[in-house]
Amino acid sequence: MARVGTISTPHGEIQTPAFIPVGTKATVKSVLPEAMADLGAQALLANAYHLYLQPGSDVLDEAGGLAQFMNWPGPTITDSGGFQVLSLGVGFKKVLAMDAQTFRRDDVIADNKERLAHVDDEGVTFKSHIDGSMHRFTPEISMKVQHEIGADIMFAFDECTTLHNTRRYQELAMDRTLAWAVRCLDEHKRLTDERSTKPYQALFGVIQGAQYEDLRKKAAADLGGLESSGQSFDGFGIGGALDKDSLGTIVSWVNQVLPEDKPKHLLGIGAPEDLFVGVENGIDTFDCVLASRIARTSAVYTMEGRFNLSNSAYKRDFTAIDDECDCYTCTHYTRAYMHHVFRGKEIIASTLATIHNERFIVRLVDQMRQALLDGNFADMKADFLGRYKHRSGQARD
Ligand SMILES: [Zn+2]
């Protein structure tokens, strides 16, 4: 199901498959937008929930939209806030449990975390993680916030479940997500007409259904064929609970059902081995905070796998992080220097490591695209995975 394509937006094109780096709060932490462009990022993904809380979506609207506000010349994407509202709500702030088979309860929360969100059929009431103030997101409010933020691609507001939830709850959440999808399309249409002087913003629906084949396929059929107010989804995100072992299976179920001519985005997936699985099952774009988040802890990707620059083994290692990498960091700095700035807690450590990791992942997906064009994707995948030592995770901010 692997394919190459082009997504056209008012701010430029995205050649797919592509990895989209994450700038949650309208910044890729520690890196200038120019450096992101230099390392090959074609678009950036920010988060509606975080920007709504701070500085407020109205501020971005006044600034002329997200791209203008953050001085990014290319396409932008916003995640709807559904995942953040609900993941913060159950206390799984950083990582959706990928391997959790032990709980099957709907009231599960992480240890020592106060429940911050409550969902009902109309929307979600939640407490700000910044100042404890109470807020409410509905499909209509999410659309308003995302229209004000002004990204080229937005996501519908969905109820994101985890692998902890029961099957019965997954069914309820899916029905709710479908009802919310209709409301998102209606409000999106209304706002597009009302703000007709603004560049067109595309709206992607989000496919839930956890690990259940019938639920995933039903969600893909329902949202794939959905039309309301003369509006249908411009593309789709595959979200929710994704068990690493069944990632490829779930993506293939969904992509067999979704309309072939629309883009498919895999939300929050970015470990190298998972990107191959996504591409070969028809995914066009990915986003993940993992590359930049682990960079700030001194963990870097190489063709041989991941390692930590702060490890004392690198104190006198005067080679590049990865001698096959063409990034600014690898062409100008050594592991020994990186070790030194990480140990000294220098700010430049985050900057240089993030540039390397983002380049590594962006380039890897670009190389998959080229391999698809050249007809040797299977060989390229076998070569990479033969050398790369696996470690991974799923991560959204
Ligand atoms: Zn590099």
Side-chain angles (χ1 to χ4, degrees):
M1 294 176 80
R3 61 196 201 162
V4 298
T6 303
I7 299 172
S8 297
T9 81
H11 289 83
E13 294 187 339
I14 305 170
Q15 306 297 328
T16 65
F19 178 78
I20 313 297
V22 176
T24 303
K25 301 176 187 174
T27 165
V28 179
K29 291 188 199 319
S30 82
V31 179
L32 290 173
E34 290 84 342
M36 293 308 297
D38 285 349
L39 67 82
Q42 301 186 65
L44 297 180
L45 181 143
N47 189 267
Y49 164 83
H50 290 277
L51 294 173
Y52 157 82
L53 287 177
Q54 193 177 60
S57 49
D58 55 325
V59 174
L60 277 85
D61 199 15
E62 269 183 63
L66 174 63
Q68 174 87 2
F69 184 54
M70 69 190 288
N71 185 35
W72 169 253
T76 52
I77 302 173
T78 42
D79 203 346
S80 70
F83 170 86
Q84 289 71 26
V85 163
L86 288 150
S87 63
L88 290 168
V90 294
F92 295 113
K93 183 173 178 194
K94 293 301 184 189
V95 181
L96 265 192
M98 299 275 291
D99 55 358
Q101 296 296 332
T102 47
F103 300 91
R104 281 286 180 271
R105 291 166 44 219
D106 298 324
D107 58 347
V108 63
I109 59 171
D111 287 346
N112 305 318
K113 293 266 187 177
E114 178 195 1
R115 193 179 179 93
L116 296 177
H118 292 276
V119 60
D120 58 64
D121 286 343
E122 288 302 305
V124 184
T125 302
F126 61 97
K127 201 178 221 183
S128 162
H129 72 285
I130 299 172
D131 62 7
S133 56
M134 295 305 295
H135 299 266
R136 188 162 168 80
F137 261 26
T138 63
E140 291 77 17
I141 293 171
S142 176
M143 285 297 98
K144 174 176 184 285
V145 165
Q146 290 190 83
H147 269 265
E148 287 181 346
I149 292 172
D152 296 297
I153 297 171
M154 312 177 286
F155 282 93
F157 189 64
D158 61 316
E159 178 174 3
C160 186
T161 58
T162 74
L163 294 174
H164 296 300
N165 294 110
T166 57
R167 156 101 195 185
R168 178 67 196 131
Y169 193 86
Q170 304 286 4
E171 290 170 6
L172 287 171
M174 242 183 58
D175 290 345
R176 206 175 255 151
T177 292
L178 176 59
W180 290 1
V182 173
R183 288 166 56 186
C184 283
L185 284 171
D186 292 345
E187 186 65 4
H188 171 53
K189 170 70 175 155
R190 194 187 71 74
L191 288 166
T192 301
D193 291 346
E194 185 180 291
R195 298 163 58 93
S196 58
T197 56
K198 307 270 182 182
Y200 180 74
Q201 296 177 260
L203 180 61
F204 285 21
V206 180
I207 309 299
Q208 296 285 351
Q211 68 272 45
Y212 302 105
E213 179 172 6
D214 58 331
L215 297 187
R216 284 283 180 184
K217 286 185 168 170
K218 180 178 186 303
D222 287 347
L223 271 70
L226 188 62
E227 196 185 304
S228 192
S229 304
Q231 185 87 35
S232 53
F233 287 117
D234 299 296
F236 300 91
I238 299 172
L242 291 165
D243 187 291
K244 190 176 177 66
D245 294 334
S246 48
L247 178 65
T249 310
I250 290 171
V251 172
S252 86
W253 291 336
V254 168
N255 281 345
Q256 282 164 25
V257 177
L258 286 174
E260 200 180 345
D261 60 346
K262 295 195 174 174
K264 290 32 176 272
H265 180 93
L266 189 54
L267 286 153
I269 297 288
E273 64 277 17
D274 296 337
L275 296 170
F276 281 98
V277 171
V279 165
E280 64 196 3
N281 287 291
I283 292 299
D284 303 303
T285 50
F286 302 85
D287 78 275
C288 189
V289 293
L290 206 60
S292 55
R293 181 179 297 153
I294 67 168
R296 297 194 299 277
T297 71
S298 99
V300 285
Y301 296 117
T302 73
M303 290 299 284
E304 312 296 330
R306 255 172 74 170
F307 73 91
N308 275 64
L309 287 161
S310 55
N311 190 306
S312 57
Y314 306 107
K315 186 172 182 179
R316 288 186 169 78
D317 185 339
F318 298 101
T319 62
I321 294 172
D322 184 342
D323 59 18
E324 292 171 53
C325 180
D326 61 0
C327 84
Y328 174 78
T329 304
C330 289
T331 51
H332 293 84
Y333 296 93
T334 62
R335 293 176 177 188
Y337 181 76
M338 294 301 297
H339 172 84
H340 159 67
V341 289
F342 268 113
R343 282 296 182 97
K345 299 188 166 42
E346 296 291 345
I347 292 167
I348 198 174
S350 294
T351 305
L352 293 174
T354 302
I355 286 172
H356 167 75
N357 275 359
E358 292 286 9
R359 174 60 185 155
F360 185 91
I361 299 294
V362 162
R363 186 186 188 200
L364 180 62
V365 180
D366 288 352
Q367 287 168 335
M368 291 183 205
R369 181 178 208 274
Q370 191 58 49
L372 290 170
L373 290 169
D374 295 342
N376 59 8
F377 179 80
D379 290 344
M380 183 248 166
K381 178 189 171 191
D383 286 349
F384 180 87
L385 294 181
R387 294 176 62 190
Y388 189 83
K389 294 177 198 73
H390 300 198
R391 297 220 202 134
S392 73
Q394 179 186 21
R396 294 166 73 182
D397 252 347

